[in-house]
Amino acid sequence: MLTEVTKRGNVPAKPSAPRRRTVRRRAAAVRLGLMAVPLAFFALFFAYPVAAIVGRGLREGGHWQLGGLTEVLSDPGTLHVLWFTVWQAAASTGLTLLIALPGAYVFARFDFPGKQLLRALVTVPFVLPTVVVGSAFLGLLGRGGVLDELWGVRLDTSVWAILLAHVFFNYAVVIRTVGGLWAQLDPRQEEAARVLGASRFEAWRRVTLPALAPALAAAALMVFLFTFTSFGVIQILGGPGYATLEVEIYRQTAGLLQLSTAAVLTLVQFAAVAVLLLLHAWSVRKREAALRLVDARQTARRPHGAGQWALLCSVLAVIAVLLLAPLGVLMERSLRTSDGSYGLTFYRALWSVDETGTFLVAPAEAIGNSLAYAAAATVIAVLVGGLAAAALTRRAGKLVRGFDALLMLPLGTSAVTVGFGFLIALDEPPLDLRSSWILVPLAQALVGVPFVVRTMLPVLRAVDVRLREAAAVLGASPLRAWREVDLPLVRRALLVAAGFAFAVSLGEFGATIFIARPDSPTLPVAVGRFLGRAGELNYGQAMALSTVLMLVCACSLLVLERLRTDRSGEF
Amino acid sequence: MLRIDGVTVRFGGHTALDTVGLDVADRETVCVLGPSGSGKSTLLRVVAGLQQPDTGRVLLSGIDQNGIPAHKRQLGLMFQDHQLFPQHNVQDNVAFGLRMRRTGRRESERRVGELLDLVGLPGVRNRAVSSLSGGEQQRVALARALAPQPRLLMLDEPLGQLDRSLRERLLVELRQLFRRLGTTVLAVTHDQGEAFALADRLVVMREGRVEQTGTPLEVWQHPASEFVARFLGFENVVEAMVRGDKAGTSWGEIPVPAGTPEGGCRLLVRPTGVVLTGPEEGLRCTVTGRTFRGGATSAVSLLLQPEAGPRLEATCTLPAAPQMDERVGVVFAGGDVVVLPGG
């Protein structure tokens, strides 16, 4: 009988033990195999170029020159740059949260016509190239800008222009990260608190705010990170008086050829970003902690009462003034010639090669270049990022978590350093890519991969393990189960990830400016070059190209918005 | 059909299954009954090949399943929360296992129709699974598990999430269905009613160990331990000293079955064995709880506080039921007294 079997069963079945170990080893091997491609990619195209350029800056005659380290660090100029970098980032973050949080609430809890379209529109600035953001604000706040014409107000060399541009740029980060979670919080939790005697505000403070806190922290850190490493915006709006570390690295590298100073600044930035990323990873992990989430569609209601309508209207007004106006101005400037009439002069000029030698080819060719490069970069980013996300799905061990953080590093590393590193590191056999077109997509993919991983990971992790088990018991092999269960569920996330990668590749500026060949510039590079030259035609063409770039980005985003996944990613 | 032999599973320091042995014969329905955390689900996962045992073997039709992955074991498993594939409709969910076995399209459609009829859900083929109610999802999950004609069907808390009346109806249907199809079934549940209604044989588990096995009647009549007795809902357990055909307890003398060995033991008195008499007769008690259970017998459950000894549970019919705080007398009926082995 059974009880006998129970007692007898004490003797373990020995011969099976080695077989079990093979199973476990195979699982580890699969994970390692998935991680191999992303690891190789990052080693070769991120760690190696960055190490090469930092090494070149710090070595002289084959010896490490670490004396330069203290010299640069104690230089008042460096300290000034560092101070400005930190405080403008902090101020930008605070201002962004202040302005965007009501928006996050409105998008999370209210239902109003045109909400989807508006959500796509407020995301446009985030994927816009910094150069375009810079020129849009120049058109609004700069010399001859809208404010200048109306009231004689110019903000383009003040820190306000930078801060406002940063808010413009990062509004969507808060809307998506905080608002996305907010929409999925069960309103009944707050209702439970109300029934227990909490006032409306108290219920929000004690129930909703703690649930949102990790998302808030994550959003704040992301905004801080993006503004800390801000380049294009400050390059264009800051004037000579303001420089972040990133801008200073560019000046030292490209302008003054002071590689040692640039190397030290890169290290400083690297250290700061590493600390920020650790904080971010920590807050993300806390965010994934047990929260009961519901379908976002069920939580949104039509606003009712004067207060709610007023809130909705003021948020819409802020969006109109802060986000849509700069974009509108950009388009307006691209169409207006000096005599005040409107026409397509600047657009037409894009199709001809000018005599001043700004370009070797017709600027319009940049459109084709950009699309081709971005498409290639998207393929690379989706491949590398998809494999990395698949490897990270099963959470295990510190090693994997370290890998997770590593994937975010390119976002916070000086793009200038990466670009210049590409130039000096990948120019000799066996890896001589200097004259190859693939160099640009590779650099752009570096920025795209973190977005792919961040978009895919929450969706992949949300796939219930037991669905795979159900498939297995019904006779599906692991590969088949992945194809039948995971793939249909993540297909949309994959498309969204690809779209994001495409948009950020399209807008990449800091690294591309170094490695794009003069005869095949990308759109942001062309815009940057136009803005760097005086003259009305150059300015007008910059605005025209920016408009083209903006429209391409906006279109890809609108397509994405249609595909929005149920569980939104972190961007 | 299925033999589980000395299977142990540890999660870190916690032992989920401790040298568990179990046999399921062909066409038999075995129910594993135990409180949550007793390792029931882990047992199913081991058999399905979703969980590697640390030691021990699982044999199906006499063949050791070690190293055979889940998808090659040809078993059926109905998950506690169904785990229907949200991206597929009902038809594709039920046909999933057939597709994995490369069944032809026409044949598979015919079979899906057959199974949906069988589980009483004709005409839901093209519905999205999210549009089904809990009970309907349960039936679809059952159809999906049955479709590939598994050698052994495993059910994890099969009716756990359903409301009472639906559950009772489905229980009867399931029992008939399994008998008709000749399915071999291994089910786990924490609900004794479910287990009693479904099982040919019961296996009671406690903290990863098998505590008792037997037919539902055997387990009901002779719980093998105080744990089993209490898990079946019997609370009247008391220390006793057996002398002849009587045992001395703090409730006074209680008759014991003939042949009970002399000396100390623990006794169980089923509520039906606690007979109410006039207040001057037998053990004097005060009524401290009174719950109307309804049902065909219009039973009332009583909680009695005797003058000495632990609280007693009794049951009687509504007309005979005393009021709260009323004083009653109690005598014990020998037929409902069980000697618990092992102390």
Side-chain angles (χ1 to χ4, degrees):
Chain A
M1 263 285 298
L2 278 160
T3 35
E4 290 157 331
V5 178
T6 316
K7 296 285 180 302
R8 201 154 39 78
N10 267 323
V11 187
K14 277 262 163 25
S16 54
R19 210 163 182 185
R20 252 168 232 142
R21 229 171 284 141
T22 0
V23 172
R24 255 172 230 150
R25 217 176 280 157
R26 200 187 301 151
V30 166
R31 188 175 304 147
L32 217 64
L34 287 172
M35 273 163 75
V37 172
L39 277 178
F41 178 81
F42 275 99
L44 214 55
F45 300 117
F46 179 65
Y48 173 54
V50 171
I53 189 158
V54 170
R56 182 168 297 195
L58 293 182
R59 283 166 74 102
E60 215 169 287
H63 297 286
W64 290 100
Q65 300 290 325
L66 297 181
L69 206 76
T70 47
E71 196 182 301
V72 174
L73 284 180
S74 55
D75 178 45
T78 313
L79 290 180
H80 181 75
V81 168
L82 194 59
W83 167 239
F84 175 72
T85 310
V86 172
W87 90 252
Q88 65 81 21
S92 302
T93 308
L95 199 61
T96 308
L97 284 179
L98 199 68
I99 294 178
L101 271 183
Y105 174 74
V106 164
F107 274 98
R109 289 291 193 234
F110 290 165
D111 206 3
F112 50 92
K115 183 170 151 181
Q116 270 210 334
L117 180 74
L118 200 63
R119 186 161 43 203
L121 279 180
V122 301
T123 316
V124 168
F126 180 63
V127 291
L128 276 189
T130 50
V131 180
V132 177
V133 176
S135 31
F137 272 76
L138 216 51
L140 193 65
L141 311 169
R143 191 164 55 83
V146 174
L147 290 189
D148 195 9
E149 281 174 7
L150 290 179
W151 298 296
V153 177
R154 275 185 62 190
L155 291 171
D156 61 330
T157 48
S158 79
V159 77
W160 282 105
I162 295 174
L163 294 187
L164 286 177
H166 281 162
V167 172
F168 168 86
F169 199 57
N170 292 305
Y171 191 83
V173 176
V174 179
I175 296 283
R176 295 214 160 228
T177 318
V178 181
L181 181 66
W182 206 333
Q184 288 175 299
L185 287 183
D186 197 334
R188 282 173 299 179
Q189 297 247 308
E190 240 177 67
E191 286 165 9
R194 295 290 307 281
V195 173
L196 289 167
S199 71
R200 196 181 281 275
F201 174 72
E202 230 175 331
W204 179 81
R205 195 171 65 88
R206 296 205 179 265
V207 176
T208 308
L209 189 60
L212 284 180
L216 260 174
L221 272 160
M222 289 314 286
V223 176
F224 192 86
L225 192 69
F226 289 137
T227 50
F228 188 81
T229 58
S230 183
F231 174 57
V233 167
I234 293 179
Q235 176 84 329
I236 290 172
L237 290 177
Y242 298 109
T244 54
L245 277 172
E246 185 92 28
V247 171
E248 192 60 22
I249 291 168
Y250 178 74
R251 275 186 203 159
Q252 296 289 345
T253 312
L256 308 170
L257 292 176
Q258 285 287 338
L259 280 191
S260 57
T261 310
V264 174
L265 293 179
T266 302
L267 284 181
V268 169
Q269 195 183 13
F270 210 77
V273 164
V275 170
L276 282 176
L277 284 180
L278 281 178
L279 280 171
H280 179 238
W282 174 74
S283 77
V284 165
R285 202 156 43 247
K286 271 183 80 178
R287 177 147 58 118
E288 284 175 356
L291 275 180
R292 293 265 311 276
L293 299 183
V294 295
D295 188 348
R297 274 167 303 181
Q298 291 169 359
T299 62
R301 296 265 178 285
R302 269 293 164 95
H304 61 88
Q308 296 198 344
W309 279 109
L311 180 62
L312 175 61
C313 290
S314 55
V315 163
L316 293 180
V318 165
I319 289 175
V321 169
L322 206 64
L323 277 83
L324 303 184
L327 297 177
V329 166
L330 194 69
M331 291 171 103
E332 194 256 355
R333 292 287 131 132
S334 74
L335 293 169
R336 195 171 66 162
T337 50
S338 56
D339 52 14
S341 64
Y342 290 92
L344 292 172
T345 323
F346 298 132
Y347 288 90
R348 253 179 248 121
L350 294 177
W351 263 266
S352 58
V353 183
D354 68 341
E355 290 84 46
T356 57
T358 312
F359 290 99
L360 301 172
V361 293
E365 280 192 24
I367 301 172
N369 291 337
S370 265
L371 291 177
Y373 283 145
T378 304
V379 172
I380 299 171
V382 166
L383 189 74
V384 173
L387 285 172
L392 287 171
T393 306
R394 287 142 220 228
R395 350 166 163 220
K398 282 195 179 132
L399 186 75
V400 172
R401 258 186 258 141
F403 186 53
D404 199 351
L406 177 82
L407 287 171
M408 297 292 284
L409 262 183
L411 272 192
T413 310
S414 160
V416 173
T417 307
V418 172
F420 202 55
F422 262 50
L423 270 194
I424 64 165
L426 303 175
D427 66 342
E428 53 201 2
L431 250 182
D432 185 4
L433 299 172
R434 199 173 30 169
S435 54
S436 163
W437 62 272
I438 193 78
L439 208 55
V440 174
L442 280 173
Q444 294 178 342
L446 267 181
V447 200
V449 169
F451 286 87
V452 174
V453 174
R454 289 294 128 202
T455 315
M456 300 277 298
L457 208 50
V459 182
L460 275 173
R461 282 191 176 153
V463 177
D464 197 326
V465 186
R466 281 166 312 158
L467 274 181
R468 286 181 209 123
E469 293 178 351
V473 174
L474 287 167
S477 66
L479 192 67
R480 188 83 194 262
W482 190 85
R483 215 182 78 201
E484 295 274 350
V485 175
D486 292 62
L487 192 60
L489 290 174
V490 303
R491 194 179 287 143
R492 285 200 302 176
L494 198 70
L495 284 171
V496 171
F500 262 123
F502 186 76
V504 294
S505 302
L506 214 53
E508 211 292 327
F509 177 60
T512 314
I513 194 169
F514 272 95
I515 50 182
R517 280 179 299 170
D519 59 344
S520 53
T522 64
L523 280 171
V525 170
V527 172
R529 262 190 233 164
F530 275 128
L531 285 177
R533 312 227 153 210
E536 193 219 340
L537 186 63
N538 281 331
Y539 179 77
Q541 289 193 76
M543 293 296 151
L545 267 188
S546 296
T547 305
V548 170
L549 186 45
M550 180 184 85
L551 288 178
V552 173
C553 282
C555 286
S556 47
L557 262 175
L558 279 174
V559 173
L560 286 190
E561 194 66 20
R562 293 244 157 265
L563 294 168
R564 247 171 86 85
T565 53
D566 301 333
R567 260 183 89 98
S568 52
E570 283 157 28
F571 292 100
Chain B
M1 175 68 230
L2 168 70
R3 162 164 289 210
I4 299 170
D5 191 1
V7 163
T8 298
V9 174
R10 287 187 201 90
F11 298 120
H14 170 69
T15 306
L17 291 177
D18 191 357
T19 52
V20 168
L22 173 67
D23 284 285
V24 181
D26 229 358
R27 298 173 168 249
E28 188 184 29
T29 298
V30 171
C31 255
V32 179
L33 180 64
S36 52
S38 58
K40 302 172 310 236
S41 294
T42 309
L43 187 67
L44 290 195
R45 293 173 58 81
V46 168
V47 176
L50 298 171
Q51 171 71 48
Q52 284 279 330
D54 291 306
T55 57
R57 295 183 305 166
V58 172
L59 295 104
L60 281 166
S61 311
I63 296 162
D64 189 349
Q65 297 294 304
N66 188 18
I68 298 181
H71 63 280
K72 293 193 179 143
R73 293 197 182 184
Q74 298 186 6
L75 301 175
L77 172 58
M78 208 176 122
F79 285 80
Q80 193 171 354
D81 40 7
H82 325 321
Q83 297 300 332
L84 296 175
F85 302 123
Q87 71 274 26
H88 292 312
N89 63 12
V90 171
Q91 154 89 30
D92 290 346
N93 262 284
V94 178
F96 190 90
L98 298 171
R99 273 204 295 136
M100 295 304 121
R101 281 168 180 66
R102 301 208 158 68
T103 311
R105 192 188 167 80
R106 189 174 302 167
E107 164 66 13
S108 124
E109 272 185 13
R110 187 189 62 76
R111 184 117 181 89
V112 169
E114 205 176 279
L115 278 156
L116 288 178
D117 285 345
L118 197 67
V119 298
L121 280 180
V124 296
R125 266 171 193 273
N126 298 316
R127 298 259 301 273
V129 289
S130 56
S131 72
L132 302 177
S133 72
E136 288 170 331
Q137 288 193 14
Q138 199 108 36
R139 287 156 185 256
V140 172
L142 178 65
R144 183 178 74 173
L146 283 173
Q149 289 174 306
R151 298 190 280 175
L152 168 73
L153 176 66
M154 294 186 286
L155 311 170
D156 192 354
E157 304 277 357
L159 306 173
Q161 294 172 344
L162 302 183
D163 61 68
R164 197 191 165 108
S165 63
L166 183 60
R167 195 156 80 187
E168 276 166 14
R169 201 174 71 227
L170 269 179
L171 269 177
V172 178
E173 288 177 20
L174 279 181
R175 180 105 176 115
Q176 287 169 346
L177 188 68
F178 295 153
R179 184 131 324 145
R180 187 146 49 96
L181 299 175
T183 320
T184 310
V185 178
L186 176 62
V188 307
T189 175
H190 69 273
D191 184 310
Q192 42 153 323
E194 213 166 288
F196 278 103
L198 214 52
D200 296 321
R201 215 146 47 80
L202 277 183
V203 176
V204 185
M205 280 188 71
R206 174 195 189 182
E207 288 167 11
R209 287 177 161 276
V210 172
E211 190 86 357
Q212 185 178 10
T213 69
T215 64
L217 196 63
E218 280 167 7
V219 174
W220 173 264
Q221 284 179 333
H222 303 287
S225 66
E226 186 178 343
F227 169 80
V228 176
R230 289 194 186 277
F231 187 67
L232 295 180
F234 300 135
E235 294 295 334
N236 302 337
V237 178
V238 72
E239 296 282 350
M241 183 61 72
V242 179
R243 241 175 265 106
D245 59 353
K246 297 248 191 254
T249 71
S250 50
W251 293 326
E253 293 222 315
I254 294 180
V256 292
T260 306
E262 303 258 317
C265 70
R266 290 177 84 79
L267 286 186
L268 159 68
V269 185
R270 273 195 277 270
T272 44
V274 181
V275 181
L276 300 186
T277 60
E280 299 311 314
E281 209 179 330
L283 178 67
R284 284 198 279 181
C285 303
T286 313
V287 179
T288 57
R290 183 178 186 277
T291 314
F292 180 52
R293 298 278 177 204
T297 55
S298 65
V300 175
S301 288
L302 296 174
L303 268 182
L304 307 174
Q305 183 59 57
E307 280 181 329
R311 264 196 328 195
L312 272 170
E313 267 186 7
T315 180
C316 64
T317 58
L318 187 58
Q323 295 303 313
M324 278 293 281
D325 298 322
E326 208 178 309
R327 301 180 72 81
V328 294
V330 158
V331 293
F332 298 95
D336 280 313
V337 177
V338 180
V339 179
L340 298 174

